[in-house]
Amino acid sequence: MYGADHYLVDNPAGIYSVPMPEATASQVRLLTAVESQPEAWLPSPSSGPFSVTLRLYNPGAAVYENPQSVPLPEIRRLSCAPGVAS
Amino acid sequence: MNLRRPLVIFLLAALLGHGLVVLWAPTLVNLRVTRGILERVLSGPSELPEAVRLTPVMQARAAKITERGGYNVALPAVRATAASKAIVRPSPDLLYTVCLFDLERGPLRVRAPVQDSYLSVSGYADNTDNFFALNDREIAPGADGSRQLDLLIARPGQAVALESVQVIEAPSDRGVILFRSLVTSEAQAARIRDEYQLFQECDPLR
């Protein structure tokens, strides 16, 4: 997770990334929150644009040969209410 | 320029030696070429990591850094955090180790144990061109089954009498070697740092 300035986002939990082991279909919540969350989550800035980067280390041959075949994560907005961290 | 702070903090954090910073930082920040390279490849935290014991191995490494003026020695490995502002979008999952090299007096031996996870070693010339990159997948196990990265960095024409070690030609006398090790927990980072303190080399070939 990177803020509008392209640096890692400061947060009390010190969470900057979520490792995703091979071949798991799982969900990562991108949240503006202070307290730690029970499921995998990435703290976003409290306001303003942000971006996420997916990094693959030592991927399988299919990725090298055909990068377009990599199924990219889907990003869905769940809620965005003022004053509510979600 | 914010370059000085990450360099100074590397030493403070890992070596807890204020005297070393006084000796080391002016040498590095006065090197215009080095400044350009480091701005492109370095990323470092500005807060102190967990408390570091000044072990005999670390004292020896600190002494090497001082006596070599910051060149030809692997600097302590760091992870990026929100305080890392030297370059944009640093990976929080990589332990970065920097080694400034100066080949004027001869080749450099670069060695590191290969962990079970991703390791990349790359070289940048004094104009910041990347002149080589190797990763753990390209390293075969040795006779004892362990894997170790073992390279010589040399200028054209430098004599290298070492069998079976891959020689990489550097396009300039000075530059940067960068190690990137994948870490996904602090425990793993600590383990790799400990191994690197003992077994990582970026030293003149003797």
Side-chain angles (χ1 to χ4, degrees):
Chain A
M1 168 75 70
Y2 297 97
D5 56 3
H6 298 284
Y7 297 122
L8 296 170
V9 177
D10 198 12
N11 65 90
I15 295 174
Y16 304 114
S17 66
V18 176
M20 309 281 282
E22 264 185 76
T24 51
S26 50
Q27 187 170 248
V28 178
R29 295 165 71 85
L30 310 181
L31 301 178
T32 305
V34 174
E35 313 85 29
S36 287
Q37 303 292 310
E39 316 120 356
W41 72 295
L42 271 178
S44 67
S46 54
S47 65
F50 59 86
S51 58
V52 289
T53 293
L54 174 71
R55 289 184 168 97
L56 304 176
Y57 294 99
N58 285 345
V63 174
Y64 289 112
E65 287 156 14
N66 191 7
Q68 292 91 331
S69 70
V70 175
L72 293 177
E74 178 196 328
I75 299 181
R76 269 188 293 144
R77 175 182 291 175
L78 300 179
S79 73
C80 192
V84 173
S86 185
Chain B
M1 181 176 299
N2 287 331
L3 185 61
R4 190 192 300 240
R5 284 186 72 236
L7 296 177
V8 171
I9 298 299
F10 282 170
L11 267 187
L12 282 174
L15 304 172
L16 302 177
H18 179 69
L20 289 163
V21 172
V22 169
L23 287 169
W24 180 62
T27 302
L28 280 185
V29 299
N30 284 340
L31 297 165
R32 285 172 297 154
V33 162
T34 311
R35 189 181 299 161
I37 295 164
L38 291 174
E39 190 159 11
R40 286 278 286 270
V41 305
L42 264 188
S43 166
S46 68
E47 78 277 3
L48 294 176
E50 65 278 7
V52 176
R53 298 162 295 128
L54 204 55
T55 63
V57 170
M58 293 180 66
Q59 289 173 28
R61 168 105 40 127
K64 267 204 264 182
I65 291 174
T66 309
E67 98 200 7
R68 294 178 193 174
Y71 282 103
N72 298 337
V73 59
L75 302 177
V78 293
R79 280 182 91 176
T81 67
S84 308
K85 308 281 192 189
I87 55 170
V88 291
R89 308 185 81 86
S91 171
D93 303 314
L94 294 175
L95 202 61
Y96 294 96
T97 310
V98 172
C99 171
L100 309 179
F101 67 80
D102 184 349
L103 305 174
E104 190 184 1
R105 294 202 191 138
L108 190 75
R109 184 115 184 236
V110 175
R111 285 205 268 197
V114 178
Q115 311 287 329
D116 286 335
S117 70
Y118 170 87
L119 165 69
S120 154
V121 179
S122 47
Y124 299 85
D126 63 3
N127 64 351
T128 77
D129 279 356
N130 172 235
F131 65 91
F132 86 94
L134 280 181
N135 75 19
D136 58 291
R137 281 184 165 174
E138 299 162 80
I139 297 163
D144 63 354
S146 72
R147 293 192 299 156
Q148 187 180 52
L149 175 100
D150 195 353
L151 300 173
L152 278 170
I153 316 293
R155 293 285 279 140
Q158 279 181 335
V160 172
L162 205 65
E163 293 171 7
S164 71
V165 177
Q166 183 177 0
V167 179
I168 309 265
E169 206 171 86
S172 60
D173 272 358
R174 288 179 169 180
V176 179
I177 304 292
L178 180 66
F179 299 76
R180 294 175 174 103
S181 311
L182 182 65
V183 292
T184 53
S185 71
E186 265 311 306
Q188 187 184 21
R191 213 168 12 92
I192 293 180
R193 275 194 197 102
D194 285 348
E195 274 216 25
Y196 279 3
Q197 276 185 36
L198 295 171
F199 302 118
Q200 184 186 49
E201 278 181 45
C202 195
D203 295 290
L205 178 66
R206 279 171 203 84

